[in-house]
Amino acid sequence: MASKADLRAEAQRLMAFFEAAGATPVEADILQPADTLLDLYGEDIRARAYVTSDPLRGEQMLRPDFTVPVVQMHMAEGAEPARYTYAGEVFRRQEEDTERSNEYFQVGYEVFDRENPAAADAEVFAMFDSVLSPLNLRAATGDIGILMAAVRGLLTTERRKEALLRHIWRPRRFRALLDRFGGRSKLPAARIKILKRLEDNSIEQLIEDDGPLIGLRSSVEIAERLNTLKDDATVEPIGAGEVEVLDHILSLRETAPNALENLRDIAVDMPSISDAVRKMDQRLEAMAVRGINVETLDFEASHGRTTLEYYDGFVFSFSAVGRPDLPPIAMGGRYDALTKVLGQGRSIPAVGGVIRPELVLGLEGTQE
């Protein structure tokens, strides 16, 4: 295992690479305001964040990553366009694997540029591809934006689409909802029981019969939830054809050009993804200009669905071939919506990624 001094030296080497490309070095406080930022992370990161209480500042957390505080900094005071790089430790609890570190370094590169998002995507990917090229890693790409566009185009209620969008990053939950909304699985027994009781009782009577309230939900919130269940029970299932198309998108694993052709065909039956597919085409063209061999580049439509929930477009990762025991050496993606949340209505297209320098050090000289 590399010493902290070696890790810092490697982190500085990687950071210098991004500085040489024009990125401005920035820092982020180790203690971050949990009440403001914690909800912006995915379920996995929220569960693993170290949270503490400060009598003056409220809930604080050890930074679980850099992107969110860097976006917050940029939206508050950054000029446009902007490119940033940073290096430092992040902290995440490990409750299942004692071999995984709960404190490790990240080196990142973030681009805020509204002029040409496809070119910015290609720039970030090419930068990571270049600095990691000696390791002969496997690159994989995806596009959360295509999945989101497909869900938004479904012929069903807004409430059902919102539920599916909320769980895009939780594949099992997403699948369970899609199967239920598409009529391919039965309602849970508890749901059937509640709906049966609602046939014979008013919502008010149901709440009263169940005795005193226990927990955080008020009677008004419980009534709203019961009304939602009652209304949803009357909604027709999502059409079998739409579910099949969405299944095909979710299972798509191809080289990028073949995936693009597949998605163009799908867009004929699901026009809602047309704009996202057009953006993918532009991105691949921009990558080719940057010298990336897109003909052999892997594309997986479900890639990135178990990582950070603020990604909403292009996603990528670089992994060690033959080392499934290791997490990705580097990963990143586009997070336009996050800038709007932290910019209080203002937004700017943004994309970036991070490298784990200890994994780079561990692989040097071992990859053929």
Side-chain angles (χ1 to χ4, degrees):
M1 180 180 293
S3 68
K4 281 201 171 183
D6 289 338
L7 289 176
R8 289 193 183 95
E10 178 64 11
Q12 289 302 314
R13 182 188 73 82
L14 293 167
M15 189 175 170
F17 177 88
F18 296 125
E19 283 189 67
T24 300
V26 293
E27 297 183 358
D29 291 339
I30 291 177
L31 271 179
Q32 294 288 323
D35 57 343
T36 304
L37 303 182
L38 200 54
D39 284 342
L40 298 175
Y41 291 102
E43 188 176 79
D44 176 61
I45 302 302
R46 286 196 297 270
R48 294 165 57 197
Y50 287 98
V51 180
T52 187
S53 181
D54 184 285
L56 295 179
R57 295 177 175 82
E59 282 200 329
Q60 302 281 299
M61 65 177 173
L62 295 177
R63 65 184 178 218
D65 95 326
F66 276 86
T67 300
V68 171
V70 168
V71 172
Q72 187 178 45
M73 175 209 70
H74 175 80
M75 298 312 294
E77 57 192 42
E80 297 181 17
R83 283 155 177 78
Y84 302 114
T85 185
Y86 48 80
E89 293 166 291
V90 297
F91 308 86
R92 300 179 189 178
R93 294 190 301 175
Q94 304 294 344
E95 298 181 348
E96 297 180 1
D97 186 353
T98 57
E99 298 299 315
R100 292 184 66 181
S101 176
N102 60 350
E103 175 184 345
Y104 56 89
F105 278 81
Q106 281 187 347
V107 178
Y109 180 64
E110 314 286 342
V111 175
F112 296 78
D113 193 339
R114 66 180 74 252
E115 185 67 27
N116 189 334
D121 286 347
E123 173 189 333
V124 170
F125 183 86
M127 290 283 286
F128 279 72
D129 182 69
S130 177
V131 75
L132 297 171
S133 60
L135 300 179
N136 296 315
L137 304 176
R138 173 187 177 264
T141 64
D143 195 327
I144 300 294
I146 290 173
L147 295 180
M148 298 176 92
V151 169
R152 292 189 179 108
L154 294 173
L155 299 177
T156 189
T157 63
E158 288 303 313
R159 183 175 284 120
R160 285 189 168 184
K161 286 189 278 191
E162 288 171 5
L164 289 168
L165 286 170
R166 191 164 56 250
H167 292 289
I168 271 183
W169 294 270
R170 305 174 187 93
R172 290 185 180 178
R173 179 61 175 157
F174 182 90
R175 169 54 58 192
L177 285 175
L178 184 60
D179 286 346
R180 188 198 308 167
F181 294 159
R184 298 196 296 192
S185 66
K186 295 181 179 180
L187 288 173
R191 177 78 60 87
I192 294 173
K193 183 179 179 180
I194 291 174
L195 291 172
K196 179 62 178 175
R197 292 179 65 192
L198 284 171
E199 290 179 5
D200 305 320
N201 301 274
S202 68
I203 289 176
E204 292 76 12
Q205 186 63 50
L206 205 62
I207 295 174
E208 184 178 336
D209 288 348
D210 281 347
L213 297 177
I214 299 174
L216 299 178
R217 285 188 178 182
S218 67
S219 58
V220 172
E221 290 172 321
I222 294 171
E224 289 176 351
R225 175 60 178 162
L226 291 173
N227 266 317
T228 296
L229 297 180
K230 191 174 180 180
D231 292 343
D232 190 71
T234 67
V235 177
E236 290 294 317
I238 298 172
E242 284 191 305
V243 174
E244 288 175 5
V245 169
L246 195 50
D247 280 341
H248 183 57
I249 293 175
L250 289 168
S251 64
L252 186 58
R253 296 170 61 98
E254 268 286 2
T255 59
N258 288 343
L260 180 62
E261 288 307 310
N262 265 269
L263 290 166
R264 282 172 172 160
D265 290 341
I266 292 170
V268 174
D269 298 316
M270 187 174 275
S272 63
I273 71 170
S274 296
D275 186 55
V277 173
R278 177 183 57 79
K279 290 178 181 177
M280 177 181 171
D281 187 14
Q282 293 173 341
R283 180 169 62 247
L284 291 177
E285 289 183 2
M287 284 182 168
V289 170
R290 286 266 177 178
I292 301 298
N293 183 4
V294 298
E295 296 300 319
T296 60
L297 183 64
D298 287 336
F299 180 90
E300 303 167 10
S302 287
H303 192 65
R305 290 182 66 204
T306 57
T307 54
L308 298 173
E309 292 183 17
Y310 50 65
Y311 291 141
D312 56 7
F314 172 55
V315 288
F316 66 88
S317 68
F318 289 84
S319 302
V321 178
R323 293 295 305 272
D325 57 308
L326 293 180
I329 312 306
M331 59 184 298
R334 176 160 290 281
Y335 47 87
D336 295 352
L338 179 63
T339 71
K340 186 173 184 178
V341 173
L342 292 175
Q344 299 180 333
R346 296 181 301 107
S347 63
I348 178 173
V351 59
V354 295
I355 300 173
R356 292 183 58 165
E358 84 277 12
L359 298 179
V360 174
L361 283 177
L363 289 172
E364 285 179 345
T366 66
Q367 299 293 96
E368 296 182 357

